[in-house]
Amino acid sequence: MATAGSILGNSVLRKEDPGLLYGVNGYVDDMKLDTKAIVFVRSNIAHGTINSINIEDGVGMPGVLGIYTSDNTDLPAVPLFAMMPPNLSRPPLAKGKVRFVGDIIAMVVAETQTQAADAAEQVWADIEPIDAVIDIESAAAAPPIFDDMDTNVCFATNFPLGEDGAPIDIDPLEGADHVATVKMLTQRLAGAPMENNGAVAIPNEPEGGLTLWCSNQGPHSLQEPVAQLLGLEQEKVRCATPWVGGGFGPKSGLYVEYVLTGYAALQLGVPCKWAELRSENMVAMMHGRAMVMECKLGLKSDGKIVGMDAKVTADTGAYPALGAVLPMLTQLLAPAVYDVPKVKFNGTSVMTNTTTIGAYRGAGRPEATQLIERVLDIAAAEMGIDPAEIRRMNFLQPEDFPLVTTTGADYDSGEYEKALDAVLAASGYSDLRVQQQERRASGDAKQIGIGVSAYVEVTAPLGLHVEYTKVEVTDSGDINIYAGTSVHGQGHDTAFSTIVEDVLGVPMQEVNFFDSDTDTVARGAGTAGSRSLQTAGSGILVGSQKVLEKAKTLASHLLEASVDDIETTGTGLAVAGVPASALSWAELATAANDASKLPEGMEPGLAYEHDFDGQSSTYPFGAHVSVVEVDTETGGVTMLRHIAVDDCGTILSPMMVNGQQHGGIAQGAAQVLYEHVSYDELGNPQNANLMDYLVPAASELPSFEVSNTETASPRNPLGAKGIGESGTIGSTPALHNAVIDAVSHMGVTHIDMPCTPKAVWEAVAAAR
């Protein structure tokens, strides 16, 4: 929507960055309040019956204000996701049983953090161990971890379904000349945000209520359940976030720790703070991914896809939350960017004695892409077709859009071949293949691997295409904007303020942005699913246009000029060519609240608030090429290059889009090569700290080569689609395919992620 001279479509320095760089932006743990400290006593047993909890030694220690267990609290169980049955809700303080290492046994409140930690060490629980359910594939048949359940299966999704809702048994591979098969793990990941979780609860603010500050991606979604669980009226609960240091999905939704922090503040009548430790974060914050996936892909002899038969088993952890239903998104996007005439999909979610699974950058969509992109590479290798060409020949075509896919995804727009051609050209794909053959012929121990991926994802999914916004001009001339989305590093203030500048002419630095506070913003769905620009951004655009339209009408009335002759000046409105005939924004806002100065029929005030509705989701897409070097003698993998062409519709800020691409690619690389939350057979975490849980440093990654195509979405006035998760979704299968491609000539057909030196070396050794 950018026009000549428009700020939109150009890179600008972010308003947020000075405060971040100088360290003056405050997070939950930086709040300057006289708070009491909370420390949680967590189970070190994955599954067991609680015989007793002894708190006597801790109660009398210096500074201790209270120690709470399920025996001396009356808090109800916390539902972690609305689609899960109530009996699977999580007790804030473990009651009767513990179900994972990290389950909360007791809450200690003391004057200081040190005193609370000392007292926590004196709390002792007698827990009788029960065999832990850890393995995803055997969990369904294992003894239920909830006594009132007869299975550990908590959710299932199937496709296709009949009119009665029952699965239809079809053979999607009928007529295939070749069937490619893969079984793969998309391993469990820890979010590990730069800022750990945390909460500050202030009682009697407002009077008779509670203010809850927390590090969360959507405080509005917390207000109702927190009020209900603590027995307060909803309007008496304020939920807000200060600056949030990274989210990526795990910081969305309600945590029992928030409820317990609020409970302690109300019980003691003093502000209380919980500041999560890193080792605590690794077991307490929701994890991501954790699926075992299988696929059979049927193809004709020329490489055209006939159909796919896919099966996914998802780990939900001990208390099922959003992660339990993510197989629905995997099912929705199973055909991806390809024309897949027939699809059979079965998804099952099972509970295990591990940390709960929630959203993690992409949430169900990366899994769909990983599965089809991996099996396509296998098909290409088996059929002797170039990996790029087998994708090209199966793409959905631009003239088919908008279209509804086999599995029901309502794609808005896409030019998949254009993105693939761009990434192949940018990477020098043909030359790379020549270099690869030369390296193989030389017999060098270090071999080159080239991986290709194409993807589509859904942004603003699951009904998240509606968002509240408000644009107002105050009597002092301030331009204030409000959005129901929440910031955790993406640059919303800059993005939304540039939209206002483009419409109202007010420099973006002078626009005041408000979000993430139920007292300030009327309502909001928070930030998830890469939804913010297409929803809140579009709402800000419409609101700015409405305010300008009204202001022009008012100005034309007051200045006795035609509406068509009124133009923006940066400080207000003026008659074109007559700069002396002008009104400032303050004068306009004041006049808008003076009935004697309004044109007949005009409502007072210079503001516009509404719920923007994009009607449906949008579907970004792209293509990636990854180049690696694999040392076949040690299994070591070195990323040489990663080239990405992502399409997020109309681009408002190339710099911020590129930043999201870089961050997303890094997280994809981390899954392929480094990260994996692992447990032993007893359910003990094996790497619950950053010494043992591998996260790549910038020095271990190449400088990514990112660019974009732009295919506007027709579903919002900005033409925007999401970009926050695209880099991860596209990069993971490209890099995964590259690692395997490097050793495929040695007989290796698959390596599960993470492709550590040990895993790669073992695969090569087995093939030899």
Side-chain angles (χ1 to χ4, degrees):
M1 62 156 288
T3 57
S6 170
I7 190 174
L8 302 183
N10 295 292
S11 294
V12 296
L13 295 178
R14 301 199 324 170
K15 294 170 64 178
E16 300 88 344
D17 288 347
L20 294 169
L21 293 171
Y22 289 117
V24 298
N25 293 345
Y27 299 84
V28 167
D29 200 28
D30 296 321
M31 298 184 72
K32 305 302 182 184
L33 296 168
D34 182 15
T35 56
K36 309 307 176 184
I38 289 176
V39 169
F40 294 112
V41 181
R42 298 182 182 273
S43 173
N44 59 5
I45 293 175
H47 195 198
T49 301
I50 301 173
N51 293 325
S52 63
I53 303 174
N54 188 320
I55 63 174
E56 294 178 5
D57 292 343
V59 169
M61 292 184 67
V64 173
L65 302 175
I67 300 180
Y68 302 89
T69 71
S70 61
D71 293 332
N72 61 5
T73 60
D74 55 358
L75 282 170
V78 177
L80 298 183
F81 192 65
M83 291 178 65
M84 292 296 103
N87 62 306
L88 300 183
S89 297
R90 180 179 174 183
L93 295 164
K95 189 172 185 178
K97 290 179 73 175
V98 293
R99 293 187 173 87
F100 73 103
V101 171
D103 221 349
I104 302 174
I105 296 169
M107 173 175 63
V108 179
V109 189
E111 293 286 349
T112 69
Q113 182 77 19
T114 300
Q115 291 170 334
D118 288 345
E121 291 182 355
Q122 301 306 311
V123 176
W124 183 81
D126 178 10
I127 301 174
E128 183 178 344
I130 303 171
D131 289 343
V133 179
I134 303 299
D135 180 66
I136 302 175
E137 292 186 90
S138 61
I145 66 175
F146 280 84
D147 296 337
D148 55 356
M149 295 281 288
D150 58 7
T151 178
N152 286 316
V153 175
C154 61
F155 181 80
T157 181
N158 292 279
F159 186 86
L161 299 176
E163 293 182 1
D164 59 355
I168 300 174
D169 188 20
I170 66 168
D171 179 9
L173 308 178
E174 183 180 2
D177 299 318
H178 183 86
V179 176
T181 302
V182 71
K183 180 177 182 180
M184 61 184 291
L185 171 71
T186 180
Q187 77 273 32
R188 176 183 287 256
L189 304 176
M194 292 184 71
E195 180 205 13
N196 293 331
N197 212 342
V200 169
I202 306 169
N204 212 35
E205 283 190 14
E207 185 176 350
L210 181 79
T211 289
L212 178 68
W213 292 90
C214 52
S215 185
N216 193 270
Q217 297 175 214
H220 285 82
S221 67
L222 308 179
Q223 186 182 33
E224 181 180 358
V226 166
Q228 290 179 348
L229 291 162
L230 296 178
L232 299 171
E233 297 176 6
Q234 184 171 333
E235 59 270 20
K236 291 288 187 179
V237 174
R238 176 191 180 193
C239 293
T241 70
W243 286 91
V244 175
F248 305 116
K251 282 188 182 175
S252 57
L254 178 62
Y255 277 87
V256 296
E257 289 88 346
Y258 300 163
V259 179
L260 287 165
T261 303
Y263 179 83
L266 292 172
Q267 290 294 306
L268 298 171
V270 293
C272 294
K273 179 170 74 173
W274 165 60
E276 187 179 57
L277 302 175
R278 177 60 65 183
S279 56
E280 186 180 23
N281 172 271
M282 297 294 285
V283 298
M285 180 170 278
M286 292 185 189
H287 292 162
R289 308 286 191 260
M291 292 186 188
V292 174
M293 308 189 295
E294 302 175 55
C295 184
K296 295 178 180 178
L297 190 71
L299 306 99
K300 287 293 191 180
S301 56
D302 61 359
K304 290 287 288 184
I305 296 172
V306 170
M308 70 183 301
D309 188 343
K311 177 184 177 183
V312 166
T313 305
D315 189 349
T316 73
Y319 299 99
L322 175 64
V325 302
L326 291 181
M328 289 195 306
L329 287 176
T330 308
Q331 172 183 296
L332 183 72
L333 292 180
V337 292
Y338 307 110
D339 181 5
V340 185
K342 294 176 291 183
V343 175
K344 182 179 180 181
F345 188 97
N346 170 259
T348 305
S349 298
V350 294
M351 296 176 288
T352 61
N353 293 118
T354 60
T355 297
T356 293
I357 295 289
Y360 181 79
R361 204 167 193 167
R365 293 102 80 199
E367 294 85 340
T369 307
Q370 290 164 11
L371 185 58
I372 194 165
E373 290 301 292
R374 185 72 209 103
V375 77
L376 260 180
D377 249 36
I378 291 171
E382 292 175 348
M383 300 178 71
I385 303 173
D386 182 86
E389 292 311 307
I390 200 170
R391 287 165 171 81
R392 185 192 306 280
M393 68 177 65
N394 284 289
F395 279 149
L396 295 166
Q397 297 303 312
E399 59 268 21
D400 297 330
F401 290 90
L403 63 86
V404 177
T405 69
T406 311
T407 52
D410 183 16
Y411 290 2
D412 52 347
S413 60
E415 293 186 74
Y416 305 144
E417 191 168 0
K418 182 178 180 180
L420 178 66
D421 287 341
V423 80
L424 295 180
S427 65
Y429 181 76
S430 298
D431 291 339
L432 287 172
R433 287 295 180 195
V434 172
Q435 294 171 27
Q436 181 183 55
Q437 291 304 316
E438 292 173 348
R439 187 76 68 97
R440 287 179 176 178
S442 72
D444 196 320
K446 295 182 178 180
Q447 291 292 313
I448 292 175
I450 306 155
V452 180
S453 75
Y455 74 92
V456 63
E457 75 134 328
V458 55
T459 55
L462 304 174
L464 291 173
H465 49 74
V466 180
E467 191 52 88
Y468 168 84
T469 58
K470 179 181 179 181
V471 178
E472 69 174 2
V473 184
T474 70
D475 285 350
S476 61
D478 290 336
I479 310 295
N480 296 336
I481 57 175
Y482 305 79
T485 53
S486 296
V487 175
H488 46 277
Q490 303 91 329
H492 290 188
D493 189 356
T494 299
F496 298 162
S497 295
T498 57
I499 293 171
V500 175
E501 177 174 342
D502 190 68
V503 177
L504 299 183
V506 178
M508 70 170 193
Q509 297 291 349
E510 298 178 18
V511 177
N512 304 310
F513 173 58
F514 300 92
D515 76 325
S516 302
D517 188 337
T518 58
D519 265 15
T520 306
V521 181
R523 53 193 171 272
T527 294
S530 302
R531 64 187 295 271
S532 296
L533 185 62
Q534 62 192 283
T535 56
S538 292
I540 295 291
L541 172 65
V542 172
S544 299
Q545 292 170 337
K546 293 289 187 182
V547 166
L548 180 61
E549 179 184 346
K550 185 174 185 179
K552 281 187 171 183
T553 301
L554 177 59
S556 70
H557 173 70
L558 297 173
L559 298 175
E560 299 180 343
S562 168
V563 171
D564 295 336
D565 291 333
I566 303 297
E567 62 182 14
T568 60
T569 65
T571 58
L573 300 179
V575 178
V578 191
S581 186
L583 293 168
S584 69
W585 286 113
E587 291 170 326
L588 287 163
T590 301
N593 288 303
D594 184 343
S596 67
K597 295 184 177 180
L598 295 178
E600 184 177 349
M602 178 177 283
E603 294 290 326
L606 196 53
Y608 188 82
E609 64 179 322
H610 69 133
D611 293 294
F612 174 82
D613 187 352
Q615 303 300 317
S616 188
S617 306
T618 64
Y619 291 82
F621 60 92
H624 288 216
V625 169
S626 197
V627 187
V628 301
E629 185 177 73
V630 174
D631 188 329
T632 59
E633 293 181 348
T634 67
V637 178
T638 301
M639 289 185 70
L640 300 178
R641 296 174 65 196
H642 190 95
I643 308 94
V645 175
D646 298 305
D647 194 310
C648 58
T650 304
I651 294 175
L652 266 65
S653 171
M655 182 180 72
M656 289 201 286
V657 166
N658 294 162
Q660 290 286 353
Q661 290 175 282
H662 279 265
I665 294 167
Q667 283 188 256
Q671 177 171 12
V672 176
L673 301 178
Y674 299 92
E675 296 188 49
H676 183 197
V677 176
S678 60
Y679 295 86
D680 67 15
E681 67 278 3
L682 299 178
N684 297 310
Q686 299 297 285
N687 50 355
N689 58 66
L690 293 182
M691 286 293 290
D692 299 320
Y693 186 80
L694 301 182
V695 177
S699 58
E700 296 168 290
L701 302 172
S703 181
F704 308 131
E705 304 164 46
V706 300
S707 58
N708 307 94
T709 56
E710 292 188 64
T711 307
S713 173
R715 292 179 178 160
N716 61 75
L718 290 170
K721 305 181 182 186
I723 187 60
E725 293 154 297
S726 293
T728 302
I729 294 169
S731 67
T732 309
L735 178 53
H736 192 197
N737 284 338
V739 174
I740 299 166
D741 180 63
V743 292
S744 61
H745 65 294
M746 305 175 77
V748 176
T749 58
H750 183 72
I751 306 170
D752 266 332
M753 298 180 292
C755 298
T756 61
K758 180 175 182 289
V760 174
W761 184 88
E762 288 179 343
V764 171
R768 281 173 170 164

